[in-house]
Amino acid sequence: MRNENPTFRRLVPDDEDESVLETELLNKTSRLKQITIQLGDEIKNSNRFLDDLDNKFSKSHNILTSTIGRVGKLAQNGNCKIYFYLILFSLFVFLVLYLAIKFV
């Protein structure tokens, strides 16, 4: 026999309420699973992107290091002024080209 107290009825769900709650819980858990899978895929893609970026920065670092070494060797050979002016001229040309591309 069930207690006909209204307070008791609100606390104890009947079979229909249980099936509705069960369905809602099932829907929520499946949605949570989908979100978790999507999050895992996004993390994998981000890690690939970061690894690729790290490789590119490493290559750029190696190129810059070797270039600085070559400039240092040129400076040790003498005739520094010629190479210094050549580097300044190159930087000036790149700056002008950059500004021309950006503002034109």
Side-chain angles (χ1 to χ4, degrees):
M1 252 172 89
R2 267 194 145 157
N3 190 350
E4 296 301 320
N5 186 353
T7 306
F8 183 74
R9 290 198 77 175
R10 280 187 273 147
L11 295 176
V12 178
D14 57 354
D15 290 339
E16 280 184 28
D17 290 339
E18 285 180 4
S19 68
V20 169
L21 291 173
E22 185 179 316
T23 305
E24 287 177 2
L25 184 61
L26 183 63
N27 290 337
K28 288 178 182 179
T29 54
S30 65
R31 179 68 184 141
L32 185 60
K33 182 179 177 183
Q34 291 172 353
I35 290 171
T36 305
I37 290 171
Q38 290 172 350
L39 186 62
D41 292 341
E42 183 64 30
I43 289 171
K44 287 178 187 176
N45 290 336
S46 295
N47 283 339
R48 274 191 227 117
F49 173 74
L50 289 173
D51 288 340
D52 186 42
L53 193 63
D54 184 46
N55 289 337
K56 288 179 181 179
F57 274 118
S58 294
K59 288 178 185 178
S60 298
H61 174 72
N62 292 340
I63 290 171
L64 221 77
T65 304
S66 65
T67 303
I68 289 173
R70 289 182 198 147
V71 170
K73 286 179 185 177
L74 287 174
Q76 289 175 354
N77 288 338
N79 295 338
C80 269
K81 288 182 181 180
I82 294 173
Y83 294 115
F84 180 72
Y85 290 134
L86 180 64
I87 291 171
L88 284 178
F89 177 74
S90 299
L91 290 174
F92 176 74
V93 169
F94 285 123
L95 179 67
V96 169
L97 289 175
Y98 172 76
L99 294 175
I101 290 172
K102 185 170 181 151
F103 294 113
V104 172

